[in-house]
Amino acid sequence: MSAIVLENISKFFGAAAAVDDVNLQVETGEFVTLLGPSGCGKTTTLRMVAGLEQNSTGRISIGGEVVSDAAQDFFIPPERRHLGMVFQSYAIWPHMTVFDNVAYPLRIRRKSAQEIKDRVERALKLVEMGRFADRPAPALSGGQQQRVAIARALVFEPRVLLLDEPLSNLDARLRTQTGDEFRQLQKRLGITSLYVTHDQGEAMALSDRVVVMSMGKILQVGPPEDIYQRPHSRAVAAFFGSPNFIEAEVKACRSDTGGTFVLELDGGWIGPCHSTHEIKPGNKAAVMVRPENMRLVSGDRGPSATGMAWKGIVKESIYRGAHRSVMLDTSAGNLNIDLTALENPAVGAQVDVFAAENSAWAVPI
Amino acid sequence: MTSNTADAIPRNQPIAMPAPLQSFAQRLFSGRNVLVVSLVAILSFLAVYPLAMLLYGSLHSTPPGMAGEFNLNGYKSILNWSNTVVLLNTVAISLGKTIPSLTLAVLLAWIIARTDTPWRDKLEVLITLPFFIPPILTAMAWGMLGNPQVGLLNQVWKWATGATVSPINVYSYGGVIWHMMQYSTPFLFLFIVDIFRAMDPALEESSRMCGASRWRTFRLITLMLMLPALTNSFILSLIRGIESFESPLFFGTPAKIEVITTEIYNSINHRATPDYQYATALSFAIMVMMFLLVVWQWWLLKGRTFTTVTGKGYAPNIMKLGKWKWVTFSFCILFFVITVVLPVGQLLIGSFFKFFGFYSYDMLTTEHYVAVFNNAEVWRAMGNTMLLGLLGATAVMILGSIVAYVSVRTKWRGRRLIDGLAWLPWMMPGMVLGIGFLWAFAMLPGPIPIYGTIWALMLAYVALGTPISVRVMSSAYAQLSYDLEECSRVHGATFMQTMWRILIALAWPSFAVGWVLAFFGIMRELSASILLYSVGSEVLSVVLLRLWANGLAEQVSVIGLMMMLLVILFRWVQLKLIKSRISTL
């Protein structure tokens, strides 16, 4: 049974559609991330699941129970949906202690004092905040507030956990660490999580599946590897990093296993390339190659049979510590390549660049 | 910060003086110290000097300026049973108006900030308007509306029901409280509506997600988060209630209900021989009480200001009311009708009938307009009020801008002292400051004739207005980042150029808004004016009171209407400015 089902969900603010006909299923125990630039409708989608916004069209079900159906004018308010939520600003109530903050959902549900004490202590222990129980909330750092917010969202064992950019107010180092810890916790508890972020790295590292959104629509849903390496469209491909797109003409197209296609392409070199789209011979396609999947080869080696190669001149070289970014001028246009930090081709030097066949992916233009 | 960098630059001047002495002299006479010292001197003259004179006068047996001896008779004479009643009256009336006002203000603020009531922005302007009307005008209007014999409301009620007994008598505790509420509700509203707006909506949403209903969330989260600010507003309103003069003067005194301010006033103006020592001792006692209240306020608020509430601007949660939005809309309109339309309508009606209370067709007349326009005293008072308003508001704002700059933007030594001195008049009721200045002027060395001129009033107005002007300008500066100033300095502008081209250029809308506020403050001021005016230096509020006392309610209505026009004009200008720039109040 799916934990969350969204059917034809839209949200209109005036005439503008913030969310436009979204369909999504989240399975029990799954960690799904809504990813997209600001204003793409991801937060609005989350808030509609929470019940903080009312969907203009469509139906939302949580745990098999319909919570909102625009056609029937049926709407269950947020407090009766039994969901946990972590807000971007954490929303820790400053007039309460840490304990009171976490105890709040249980007190609302009129649990006994002993049960409240036990469960709050357990929840705080879970996020390693046990010794801070008596602190007044304003005396916490951002990272600690975030942990309290998670404890508060988990303490009443909600059906689903909703997270609205919970890491964006933390500094970079803490963000990675907290994210990893949270993912471990989520796996251990097996709680269904719907997570909103604009940070691609976060989405990759945490999710079972990523939902890429743009302008209120879903562009692609899939595991992180699919989204990153096998995008449906140029827009999805371009959303992560700054990949190279090489225009090529399709010579032949045949079906492959797993619903993909193998294209025979001519783009200054001739070779096969995979795609989710069937593109008829004679049409153009864009071949996506990510900078980190390209490398320099010694000049005397010819183009390999299982990959693509170009000759080029180094135009720019930027040392970035962990790696070096190089821009080449080639017959296929300007190509960005990430080299190891130890390589240092001179600007103006002629080089051969190579990309393995499995690193290339074709999308329609 | 900026000035520190200026001092770090070594100055090579060929003066034959030992180096340490030279730098000492430089520091002593540097622009900064001159400024700090003169600010301290000005503010001390405006606040500390009259306060000290108050203490002096309370121990002095004769009126200001006469030879006498020192004794404790003043304090002995205020300690009696009737003054205990006066004190209890004062506190009870102030509490009695603060609690309903605060409730009403929270309700109105919630409607305006958090519901989808139609035309909320327009309603907000209407709701806050009563705050800007001089209390003396509405006091007189309500005196006519709620007069037990001939009041318009009573007449309408009798006509409509056939009753013979008047239901309303404004000359009562209820009347005093009712009149005060018309001011404190919009005053509190101005504070509270911003708190509602500044609250992070996630704080409430997370409560909903935790399973709390809307109403529970309001009780457990919204109200609790606002509690420090509400406490603050409560005490502020309580203090203003104790200071209030017009309401008890108009509605309390006729019913033998006396409060501290009217008791002070009566002991000087309505006794065969003015008892200055008694009045001064009472004034000093009320100052001590104010001070204790302020200390209590500090103690209550210590460490309890939640930064989450005063954070950046959020889009607040708007509650959809459905059909109920017309109820809330009507409620706001009703508030406006009762606090503005009724009194102003009464002034309008009153000005066109021969005698107020006798409203029939053949009584229609314009003779009161003629009488007012031919009254030289009214014109003189009008001129005085305008002159004092224009000069006083300008002086208050310039002083406030400089004080706020020094206390907010610099790390100079003495800035805390300056800030404290500028704030001191805030807890002095106008009446008390007036008496303090009476003594202060009398004790000035001979050839400085301030008393009896309009400058006496001017000094009192500047003192009373400074705390507000400092507040307005401080918040204006606080919104401007240091970077703006520092960037200007880095790009080659001098300190003065930076002031002129950056700070003043950016802060002038706040300056203008504050100026209008100060002007309103001067136009409405009665309690200090009534003590400090003399023949030739009357202001409008004083003339109004005298005409009223002489039973010329109809002429009062004419003048009142003219003042109303002025209020609406200035408020309109102020709102235009606020709309185009950052709001401060």
Coordinates of all heavy atoms in Angstrom, one line a residue, chain A residues 47 50 52 77-79 83-85 87 89 91-96 104-105 107-110 138 152 156 162, chain B residues 200-214 216-217 220-221 224-225 306-309 314 317:
Chain A
R47 N 3.1 21.2 1.3 CA 2.1 21.8 2.2 C 0.7 21.3 1.9 O -0.1 21.3 2.8 CB 2.2 23.4 2.1 CG 3.5 23.9 2.7 CD 3.7 25.4 2.4 NE 2.6 26.2 3.0 CZ 2.6 26.7 4.2 NH1 3.5 26.4 5.0 NH2 1.5 27.4 4.6
A50 N 0.5 18.2 3.8 CA 0.4 18.5 5.2 C -1.0 19.0 5.5 O -1.4 18.8 6.7 CB 1.4 19.5 5.6
L52 N -1.7 22.2 5.0 CA -1.5 23.6 5.3 C -2.0 24.5 4.1 O -2.2 25.7 4.3 CB 0.0 24.0 5.6 CG 0.5 23.3 6.9 CD1 2.0 23.4 7.1 CD2 -0.2 23.9 8.1
P77 N -8.3 18.8 8.1 CA -7.4 19.8 8.5 C -6.1 19.2 9.0 O -6.1 18.0 9.3 CB -8.1 20.6 9.6 CG -9.1 19.7 10.1 CD -9.5 18.8 9.0
P78 N -5.0 19.9 9.0 CA -3.7 19.3 9.3 C -3.6 18.6 10.6 O -2.9 17.5 10.7 CB -2.7 20.6 9.3 CG -3.6 21.8 9.3 CD -4.9 21.4 8.7
E79 N -4.3 19.1 11.6 CA -4.1 18.5 12.9 C -4.7 17.1 13.0 O -4.4 16.4 13.9 CB -4.7 19.4 14.0 CG -6.2 19.7 14.0 CD -6.5 21.0 13.2 OE1 -5.7 21.4 12.4 OE2 -7.6 21.6 13.5
L83 N 0.5 13.7 10.8 CA 1.8 13.7 10.1 C 2.8 14.5 10.9 O 2.4 15.5 11.6 CB 1.6 14.4 8.7 CG 0.5 14.0 7.8 CD1 0.3 14.9 6.7 CD2 0.7 12.6 7.4
G84 N 4.1 14.1 10.8 CA 5.1 14.9 11.5 C 5.7 15.8 10.4 O 5.8 15.5 9.2
M85 N 6.1 17.1 10.9 CA 6.7 18.0 9.9 C 7.8 18.7 10.5 O 7.8 19.2 11.7 CB 5.6 18.9 9.4 CG 6.1 19.9 8.3 SD 4.7 20.5 7.3 CE 5.6 21.7 6.2
F87 N 10.1 22.1 9.8 CA 10.1 23.3 9.0 C 11.5 23.8 8.7 O 12.4 23.6 9.4 CB 9.2 24.4 9.7 CG 7.8 24.1 9.7 CD1 7.2 23.2 10.6 CD2 6.9 24.7 8.8 CE1 5.9 22.9 10.6 CE2 5.6 24.4 8.8 CZ 5.0 23.5 9.7
S89 N 12.5 26.8 9.1 CA 13.0 27.7 10.3 C 13.0 26.9 11.6 O 13.1 27.4 12.6 CB 12.1 28.9 10.4 OG 10.8 28.5 10.6
A91 N 10.9 26.2 13.6 CA 9.7 26.5 14.3 C 9.7 26.0 15.7 O 8.7 25.4 16.2 CB 8.4 26.1 13.5
I92 N 10.9 26.1 16.4 CA 10.9 25.7 17.8 C 10.3 26.8 18.6 O 10.7 28.0 18.4 CB 12.4 25.5 18.2 CG1 13.0 24.3 17.4 CG2 12.5 25.2 19.7 CD1 12.3 23.0 17.6
W93 N 9.4 26.5 19.4 CA 8.7 27.6 20.2 C 9.6 28.2 21.2 O 10.0 27.4 22.2 CB 7.4 27.0 20.8 CG 6.5 26.5 19.7 CD1 6.0 27.2 18.6 CD2 6.0 25.2 19.5 NE1 5.2 26.4 17.8 CE2 5.2 25.2 18.4 CE3 6.1 24.1 20.3 CZ2 4.5 24.1 17.9 CZ3 5.4 22.9 19.8 CH2 4.6 22.9 18.7
P94 N 9.9 29.4 21.1 CA 10.8 30.0 22.0 C 10.3 30.2 23.5 O 11.1 30.4 24.4 CB 11.1 31.4 21.4 CG 9.9 31.7 20.6 CD 9.4 30.4 20.1
H95 N 9.1 30.1 23.7 CA 8.6 30.2 25.1 C 8.5 28.9 25.8 O 8.0 28.9 26.9 CB 7.2 30.9 25.1 CG 6.1 30.2 24.3 ND1 6.3 29.8 23.0 CD2 4.9 29.7 24.7 CE1 5.2 29.2 22.6 NE2 4.4 29.1 23.6
M96 N 9.1 27.9 25.2 CA 9.1 26.6 25.9 C 10.5 26.0 26.0 O 11.4 26.4 25.3 CB 8.2 25.6 25.1 CG 6.8 26.0 24.9 SD 6.0 24.7 24.0 CE 4.4 25.4 23.7
Y104 N 4.9 18.6 23.3 CA 3.7 19.3 22.9 C 2.7 18.3 22.1 O 1.5 18.3 22.5 CB 4.1 20.5 22.0 CG 2.9 21.3 21.6 CD1 2.5 22.4 22.4 CD2 2.4 21.2 20.3 CE1 1.4 23.2 22.0 CE2 1.3 22.0 19.9 CZ 0.9 23.0 20.7 OH -0.1 23.8 20.3
P105 N 3.1 17.6 21.1 CA 2.2 16.8 20.4 C 1.5 15.7 21.3 O 0.4 15.4 21.1 CB 3.0 16.1 19.3 CG 4.3 16.8 19.3 CD 4.5 17.5 20.6
R107 N 1.0 16.0 24.6 CA 0.1 16.7 25.5 C -1.2 17.0 24.8 O -2.3 16.9 25.4 CB 0.7 18.0 26.1 CG 1.8 17.7 27.1 CD 2.3 18.9 27.8 NE 3.3 18.5 28.8 CZ 4.4 19.1 29.1 NH1 4.7 20.2 28.4 NH2 5.2 18.7 30.0
I108 N -1.1 17.4 23.5 CA -2.3 17.7 22.8 C -3.1 16.4 22.7 O -4.4 16.5 22.7 CB -1.9 18.1 21.3 CG1 -1.2 19.5 21.4 CG2 -3.1 18.1 20.4 CD1 -2.1 20.6 21.7
R109 N -2.5 15.3 22.6 CA -3.2 14.0 22.6 C -3.5 13.4 23.9 O -3.9 12.3 24.0 CB -2.3 13.0 21.8 CG -2.3 13.4 20.3 CD -1.3 12.6 19.5 NE -1.4 12.8 18.1 CZ -0.9 13.9 17.5 NH1 -0.3 14.8 18.2 NH2 -1.1 14.1 16.2
R110 N -3.3 14.2 25.0 CA -3.7 13.9 26.3 C -3.1 12.6 26.8 O -3.8 11.7 27.3 CB -5.2 13.9 26.5 CG -5.8 15.2 26.0 CD -7.2 15.3 26.6 NE -7.9 16.6 26.1 CZ -7.6 17.8 26.5 NH1 -6.6 18.0 27.4 NH2 -8.2 18.8 26.0
P138 N 15.4 29.1 23.1 CA 16.2 30.0 22.4 C 17.7 29.8 22.6 O 18.5 30.4 21.9 CB 15.7 31.4 23.0 CG 14.4 31.1 23.5 CD 14.4 29.7 24.0
R152 N 10.5 16.3 17.8 CA 9.1 16.7 17.9 C 8.2 16.1 16.9 O 7.1 15.7 17.1 CB 9.0 18.2 17.9 CG 7.6 18.8 18.2 CD 7.6 20.3 18.2 NE 7.9 20.8 16.9 CZ 8.1 22.1 16.7 NH1 8.1 23.0 17.7 NH2 8.4 22.6 15.5
F156 N 5.3 11.5 18.2 CA 4.0 10.9 18.3 C 3.8 9.8 17.2 O 2.6 9.4 16.9 CB 2.9 12.0 18.2 CG 3.0 12.8 17.0 CD1 2.0 12.7 16.0 CD2 3.9 13.8 16.8 CE1 2.0 13.4 14.8 CE2 3.9 14.6 15.7 CZ 3.0 14.4 14.7
L162 N 7.2 14.8 7.0 CA 7.3 15.8 6.0 C 8.5 16.7 6.4 O 8.5 17.2 7.5 CB 6.1 16.6 5.8 CG 4.8 15.8 5.5 CD1 3.6 16.7 5.5 CD2 4.9 15.0 4.3
Chain B
D200 N 6.7 34.4 12.7 CA 7.0 33.3 11.7 C 5.8 32.4 11.7 O 5.4 31.7 12.7 CB 8.2 32.6 12.2 CG 8.6 31.4 11.2 OD1 7.8 31.2 10.2 OD2 9.6 30.7 11.5
P201 N 5.1 32.3 10.5 CA 3.9 31.4 10.4 C 4.2 30.0 10.7 O 3.3 29.2 11.2 CB 3.4 31.6 9.0 CG 4.5 32.2 8.3 CD 5.4 32.9 9.2
A202 N 5.4 29.5 10.5 CA 5.8 28.1 10.8 C 5.6 27.8 12.3 O 5.3 26.6 12.6 CB 7.2 27.8 10.4
L203 N 5.7 28.8 13.1 CA 5.6 28.5 14.6 C 4.1 28.0 14.8 O 3.9 27.1 15.7 CB 5.8 29.7 15.4 CG 7.3 30.1 15.5 CD1 7.4 31.5 16.0 CD2 8.1 29.1 16.3
E204 N 3.2 28.5 14.1 CA 1.8 28.1 14.3 C 1.5 26.9 13.5 O 0.8 26.0 14.0 CB 0.8 29.2 13.9 CG 0.9 30.4 14.8 CD 0.2 31.6 14.2 OE1 0.7 32.2 13.3 OE2 -0.9 32.0 14.7
E205 N 2.1 26.8 12.3 CA 1.8 25.7 11.4 C 2.3 24.4 12.1 O 1.7 23.3 12.0 CB 2.5 25.9 10.1 CG 1.7 26.9 9.2 CD 2.5 27.2 8.0 OE1 3.6 26.8 7.8 OE2 1.9 27.9 7.1
S206 N 3.5 24.5 12.7 CA 4.1 23.3 13.3 C 3.1 22.8 14.5 O 3.0 21.6 14.7 CB 5.5 23.5 13.8 OG 5.5 24.6 14.8
S207 N 2.5 23.7 15.1 CA 1.5 23.3 16.2 C 0.3 22.6 15.5 O -0.1 21.6 16.1 CB 1.1 24.5 16.9 OG -0.1 24.2 17.7
R208 N -0.1 23.1 14.4 CA -1.2 22.4 13.7 C -0.8 20.9 13.4 O -1.5 20.0 13.5 CB -1.6 23.1 12.5 CG -2.1 24.5 12.6 CD -3.5 24.6 13.3 NE -4.6 23.9 12.6 CZ -5.2 24.4 11.6 NH1 -4.9 25.5 11.0 NH2 -6.2 23.7 11.0
M209 N 0.5 20.8 12.9 CA 1.0 19.5 12.4 C 1.1 18.6 13.6 O 1.1 17.4 13.5 CB 2.3 19.7 11.8 CG 2.3 20.4 10.5 SD 1.1 19.9 9.3 CE 1.7 18.2 9.0
C210 N 1.3 19.2 14.8 CA 1.4 18.3 16.0 C 0.1 17.9 16.5 O 0.0 17.2 17.6 CB 2.2 19.1 17.1 SG 3.9 19.3 16.8
G211 N -1.0 18.4 15.9 CA -2.3 17.9 16.2 C -3.2 18.9 17.0 O -4.3 18.5 17.4
A212 N -2.7 20.1 17.1 CA -3.5 21.1 17.8 C -4.4 21.8 16.9 O -4.0 22.2 15.8 CB -2.6 22.1 18.5
S213 N -5.7 22.0 17.3 CA -6.6 22.7 16.5 C -6.2 24.2 16.3 O -5.3 24.7 17.0 CB -8.0 22.6 17.0 OG -8.0 23.3 18.3
R214 N -7.0 24.9 15.5 CA -6.7 26.3 15.2 C -6.8 27.1 16.5 O -5.9 27.9 16.9 CB -7.7 26.8 14.2 CG -7.2 27.9 13.4 CD -8.4 28.4 12.5 NE -8.4 27.7 11.2 CZ -7.7 28.0 10.2 NH1 -6.8 29.0 10.3 NH2 -7.8 27.4 9.0
R216 N -6.7 26.0 19.7 CA -5.7 25.6 20.7 C -4.4 26.2 20.3 O -3.6 26.7 21.1 CB -5.6 24.1 20.7 CG -6.3 23.5 21.9 CD -6.1 22.1 21.8 NE -5.6 21.6 23.1 CZ -5.5 20.3 23.4 NH1 -5.8 19.4 22.5 NH2 -5.0 20.0 24.6
T217 N -4.1 26.2 19.0 CA -2.8 26.8 18.5 C -2.8 28.3 18.9 O -1.8 28.8 19.4 CB -2.7 26.7 17.0 OG1 -2.7 25.3 16.7 CG2 -1.4 27.3 16.5
L220 N -2.2 28.4 22.8 CA -1.0 27.8 23.3 C 0.2 28.4 22.7 O 1.3 28.5 23.3 CB -1.0 26.3 23.2 CG -2.0 25.5 24.0 CD1 -1.9 24.1 23.7 CD2 -1.7 25.8 25.5
I221 N 0.1 28.8 21.4 CA 1.3 29.2 20.7 C 1.3 30.7 20.4 O 2.1 31.5 21.0 CB 1.5 28.5 19.4 CG1 1.6 27.0 19.6 CG2 2.8 29.0 18.7 CD1 2.7 26.5 20.5
M224 N 0.8 32.9 23.6 CA 2.0 32.8 24.5 C 3.2 33.4 23.9 O 4.0 34.0 24.7 CB 2.2 31.3 24.8 CG 1.2 30.7 25.6 SD 1.2 31.5 27.3 CE -0.6 31.6 27.6
L225 N 3.4 33.3 22.6 CA 4.5 34.0 22.0 C 4.4 35.5 22.1 O 5.4 36.2 22.2 CB 4.6 33.6 20.5 CG 5.2 32.2 20.2 CD1 5.0 31.9 18.7 CD2 6.6 32.2 20.6
F306 N 11.3 37.4 22.6 CA 11.6 36.3 21.7 C 12.0 36.9 20.4 O 11.2 37.6 19.7 CB 10.4 35.4 21.6 CG 10.0 34.9 22.9 CD1 8.6 34.8 23.2 CD2 10.9 34.4 23.8 CE1 8.2 34.3 24.4 CE2 10.4 33.9 25.0 CZ 9.1 33.8 25.3
T307 N 13.2 36.6 19.9 CA 13.7 37.2 18.7 C 12.8 36.6 17.5 O 12.7 37.3 16.5 CB 15.1 36.8 18.4 OG1 15.3 35.5 18.8 CG2 16.0 37.7 19.2
T308 N 12.2 35.4 17.7 CA 11.4 34.9 16.6 C 10.2 35.8 16.3 O 9.7 35.7 15.2 CB 10.9 33.5 17.0 OG1 11.1 33.3 18.4 CG2 11.6 32.4 16.2
V309 N 9.8 36.5 17.3 CA 8.6 37.3 17.0 C 8.9 38.6 16.3 O 8.1 39.1 15.6 CB 7.9 37.6 18.4 CG1 6.6 38.4 18.2 CG2 7.5 36.3 19.1
Y314 N 7.4 38.2 7.4 CA 6.9 36.9 6.8 C 5.6 37.2 6.1 O 5.0 38.2 6.4 CB 6.7 35.9 7.9 CG 7.9 35.5 8.6 CD1 8.3 36.1 9.8 CD2 8.7 34.5 8.2 CE1 9.4 35.7 10.5 CE2 9.8 34.1 8.8 CZ 10.2 34.7 10.0 OH 11.3 34.3 10.7
N317 N 0.0 34.0 8.2 CA -1.1 33.0 7.9 C -2.4 33.8 7.8 O -2.7 34.5 8.7 CB -1.2 32.1 9.0 CG -0.3 30.9 8.9 OD1 0.1 30.6 7.8 ND2 0.1 30.3 10.0

